[in-house]
Amino acid sequence: MKIWLLALVATATAGVIPRPVEVKEGEGQLKIEAGGFVALRDYDKRAWVEALSEAAGVELRMAPADVGSVVQFLGTDFVPDGLPKPTGEGYVLRIQPQTAIVHADTEAGHFYGLQTLVQLLEEAERDDGATLLPCATVIDSPRFGWRGFMLDESRHFSGKEAVLRLLDQMARYKLNRFHWHLTDSPGWRIEIKRYPKLTEIGSRGSETDRREDAPRQFYTQDEVREIVAYARERGITVVPEIDMPGHADAAVRAYPEHDGGGFKNGKPFKWSRFTFNPAKPETLAFLDGILEEVADLFPDAGVIHFGGDEVHFGWGKWKELPEVKALMEKEGFSELAEVETWFNRRMAGKINELGFATGGWDEIAGRDLPRDGTLVFWWRHDKPQVLRRALDDGYPVVLCPRRPLYFDFVQHDSHKVGRRWGGFNPLDQVYAFPDSLNVLEPGDADQVRGIQANLWTETTVTQARRDFMTFPRLLALAEAAWTPADRKDFADFEERLKDQLPRLDRAAVGYYDPYRSSPEVKR
Ligand code: TNX
């Protein structure tokens, strides 16, 4: 009997993704029946009661008081001796024969305790209309504060429904930053009231549809606010990206007076208006105006990302622009890189003035931006020296290298569509990050804010393919971001993952099934 019970406990606590820091198995089980109360402290969260009801398969009710509740959310005062008092996003979950208690110090901590409880309830044994939850204590907190996922909306547009569904999945697996790449050459995807042509003209088309009369695809400001609020309810901060001075074709299409041209190695390339004019006062004022509206729409973002990537691909025409010539003369610049740096400092200054840190791709490292107002996103996996330099220079960084964290790279060798670069990005390599990286030193811990995967959407025309590229890698990312290195175990993760795949089916989320080699979704 005892052995059987322990076996049950072992499987019941084994299922959670991301794997918690510590799980102590208890004795006995908590019986959850219809009509049971959930005590929410001072939170008004009907959604939490609904999530628990759905996971338990029985209808629970919001409790009038803490007494007699089958699930309780409590502060840290009541954590018994011998257990740590959780802080920040951490929580302690105690499942006892009479009640399950989530202790935390913050709403985020309670929310993550809820997610763990939900996953445990989903796989708990059902008995005659009740759900039997094995007793256990879970002590948990994240490895990284920044657990991110980036979605490129410009190359192909996902739209509100898909984004809300993605946020649900991110929250379920305890990811907490949604980096929203809203602008790029194919399309401008966010309404800016001061500049209506950005969406009247700039939002038409995509990577695979270059018709001038293609349908408009963008988020209205109301939709942006709705998505930001939806994310906030789920512990997720939405970080907007407005890419500049490169990747600007869509905006320049709408407002050609800001054109800075686009030349690659002296020759025009696909995006002939790849850059903003980096030195024209009207263009800088235009970008200021955009950033002001963005700041209003994302008041809690903490970071506004201004791109800053791949500018040299498209700056071939800068030398001919009168404003650039005048700037170079005035400042005594001899190189375009100095113009780029000048532009970076000017716009980062604006973002800081608005009360946000400036996020930027790793090209912005080495430009002497304020260390406390800048966040560097290291993406060029083939340039570890850039990461090393950024760290040595004192910048905080988010690690999102192409390999293994770009989800537009294929995840299985048999896959034909998608990127490769000296290899590709299978599940186990996503999982092994960042412990697989040999650039980091123990002293870097404070500066490494976390990790993030990026879904660039050049090759993902349909939502089915975006899902296919994102899942199940998103779950490996989540565990890599949350679980301490010494608790990571890929074989164990795979066992838990097999139990999560049917949950993705139920949520109508597509994925690549590595255990059945499901057919490639090519478009
Ligand atoms: C590089 S990542 C880019 C993106 C592309 C991506 C494709 C980055 C900062 N720039 O514009 O979509 O590669 O993998």
Side-chain angles (χ1 to χ4, degrees):
M1 171 63 189
K2 186 102 199 226
I3 288 169
W4 177 82
L5 198 67
L6 279 179
L8 180 74
V9 167
T11 47
T13 51
V16 178
I17 292 180
R19 192 183 203 188
V21 171
E22 192 180 346
V23 179
K24 297 184 200 180
E25 291 158 12
E27 286 207 21
Q29 49 198 15
L30 170 64
K31 189 171 184 179
I32 299 182
E33 291 170 294
F37 285 123
V38 178
L40 286 167
R41 302 172 85 211
D42 39 3
Y43 298 130
D44 179 27
K45 304 271 185 204
R46 192 154 296 278
W48 292 15
V49 180
E50 279 163 18
L52 290 167
S53 299
E54 199 186 316
V58 296
E59 208 58 43
L60 302 173
R61 292 180 288 171
M62 224 185 237
D66 286 4
V67 264
S69 293
V70 71
V71 177
Q72 304 176 51
F73 290 83
L74 294 178
T76 54
D77 295 350
F78 309 97
V79 178
D81 289 345
L83 290 175
K85 283 192 195 299
T87 58
E89 295 176 305
Y91 66 91
V92 170
L93 167 63
R94 292 195 296 140
I95 302 167
Q96 299 170 300
Q98 304 302 328
T99 182
I101 303 175
V102 180
H103 294 282
D105 196 29
T106 66
E107 183 175 323
H110 282 124
F111 183 76
Y112 293 132
L114 171 75
Q115 296 314 314
T116 297
L117 189 51
V118 160
Q119 287 192 27
L120 293 174
L121 283 167
E122 284 170 350
E123 62 182 29
E125 193 194 337
R126 308 297 200 244
D127 178 42
D128 199 18
T131 293
L132 304 176
L133 196 58
C135 290
T137 301
V138 182
I139 300 165
D140 205 9
S141 60
R143 175 178 181 184
F144 293 113
W146 186 290
R147 304 182 299 280
F149 181 71
M150 190 217 78
L151 177 65
D152 169 7
E153 292 269 19
S154 178
R155 274 59 177 265
H156 288 102
F157 184 68
S158 289
K160 189 173 93 176
E161 290 316 311
V163 167
L164 297 183
R165 213 174 38 128
L166 173 65
L167 291 169
D168 286 339
Q169 295 305 316
M170 287 177 64
R172 176 175 166 88
Y173 299 109
K174 304 186 175 89
L175 293 167
N176 69 353
R177 290 291 187 287
F178 177 52
H179 174 167
W180 213 6
H181 186 80
L182 286 163
T183 74
D184 211 302
S185 295
W188 182 278
R189 308 298 184 201
I190 178 172
E191 178 188 22
I192 301 293
K193 303 258 192 210
R194 256 171 280 189
Y195 311 119
K197 284 192 283 184
L198 284 173
T199 43
E200 269 162 32
I201 297 170
S203 77
R204 295 183 192 273
S206 70
E207 183 77 16
T208 50
D209 180 359
R210 302 285 297 277
R211 293 171 301 155
E212 272 180 19
D213 60 349
R216 297 189 292 161
Q217 291 185 300
F218 66 97
Y219 297 96
T220 64
Q221 294 205 347
D222 283 344
E223 286 171 327
V224 169
R225 287 203 181 85
E226 184 187 338
I227 287 167
V228 168
Y230 190 91
R232 190 188 302 121
E233 274 299 299
R234 289 158 183 75
I236 298 169
T237 304
V238 185
V239 173
E241 179 181 349
I242 306 293
D243 209 339
M244 60 183 79
H247 295 272
D249 203 287
V252 174
R253 224 152 52 223
Y255 292 94
E257 58 270 39
H258 302 307
D259 190 6
F263 271 77
K264 192 174 192 172
N265 305 328
K267 298 187 197 110
F269 72 120
K270 185 163 83 166
W271 303 108
S272 61
R273 293 157 294 196
F274 183 75
T275 64
F276 291 113
N277 185 324
K280 189 172 173 178
E282 293 82 356
T283 301
L284 302 172
F286 169 76
L287 294 172
D288 284 349
I290 291 169
L291 290 171
E292 283 164 18
E293 287 193 32
V294 168
D296 276 350
L297 288 169
F298 298 88
D300 308 322
V303 179
I304 292 178
H305 199 298
F306 78 157
D309 55 313
E310 302 183 321
V311 182
H312 61 278
F313 284 143
W315 68 16
K317 262 180 88 178
W318 282 10
K319 283 208 151 135
E320 299 159 27
L321 302 175
E323 297 85 0
V324 172
K325 282 193 206 158
L327 177 76
M328 292 182 80
E329 203 173 290
K330 177 167 166 248
E331 302 286 341
F333 295 157
S334 55
E335 317 246 342
L336 289 180
E338 294 170 288
V339 175
E340 186 187 349
T341 298
W342 180 89
F343 174 88
N344 284 160
R345 291 206 195 137
R346 164 65 180 76
M347 297 316 301
K350 176 68 184 180
I351 291 170
N352 290 164
E353 221 175 85
L354 290 167
F356 296 78
T358 307
W361 300 109
D362 60 36
E363 286 92 332
I364 69 156
R367 314 233 167 208
D368 204 20
L369 298 171
R371 308 303 191 261
D372 57 355
T374 306
L375 186 59
V376 173
F377 290 67
W378 178 59
W379 66 281
R380 290 176 294 179
H381 72 286
D382 55 328
K383 294 195 185 330
Q385 70 278 14
V386 171
L387 170 60
R388 192 62 259 157
R389 173 82 198 278
L391 289 165
D392 291 342
D393 283 351
Y395 288 105
V397 301
V398 170
L399 308 173
C400 51
R402 268 177 301 223
R403 293 217 35 224
L405 295 185
Y406 271 24
F407 286 2
D408 58 332
F409 279 58
V410 300
Q411 55 182 319
H412 191 268
D413 206 14
S414 67
H415 293 166
K416 301 274 185 282
V417 183
R419 295 191 75 191
R420 292 169 190 256
W421 184 321
F424 53 96
N425 295 342
L427 196 62
D428 59 326
Q429 290 187 23
V430 175
Y431 189 84
F433 194 80
D435 310 293
S436 52
L437 188 67
N438 53 24
V439 193
L440 298 181
E441 291 163 13
D444 298 329
D446 281 354
Q447 279 165 262
V448 176
R449 292 295 146 84
I451 68 175
Q452 173 174 302
N454 298 335
L455 181 66
W456 301 101
T457 58
E458 287 95 333
T459 68
T460 62
V461 180
T462 65
Q463 189 55 40
R465 181 161 159 81
R466 288 189 285 277
D467 280 3
F468 180 81
M469 298 305 273
T470 304
F471 297 94
R473 287 188 288 195
L474 190 90
L475 281 71
L477 169 77
E479 188 150 314
W482 180 280
T483 304
D486 62 1
R487 287 279 290 166
K488 282 168 68 178
D489 175 340
F490 185 65
D492 185 86
F493 168 76
E494 284 198 290
E495 288 312 308
R496 284 173 286 125
L497 178 61
K498 286 173 193 161
D499 291 337
Q500 292 300 316
L501 296 180
R503 299 281 157 198
L504 294 177
D505 289 326
R506 237 179 269 189
V509 172
Y511 55 90
Y512 167 60
D513 187 339
Y515 310 108
R516 295 201 210 146
S517 301
S518 55
E520 182 178 8
V521 179
K522 293 190 173 147
R523 218 182 120 82

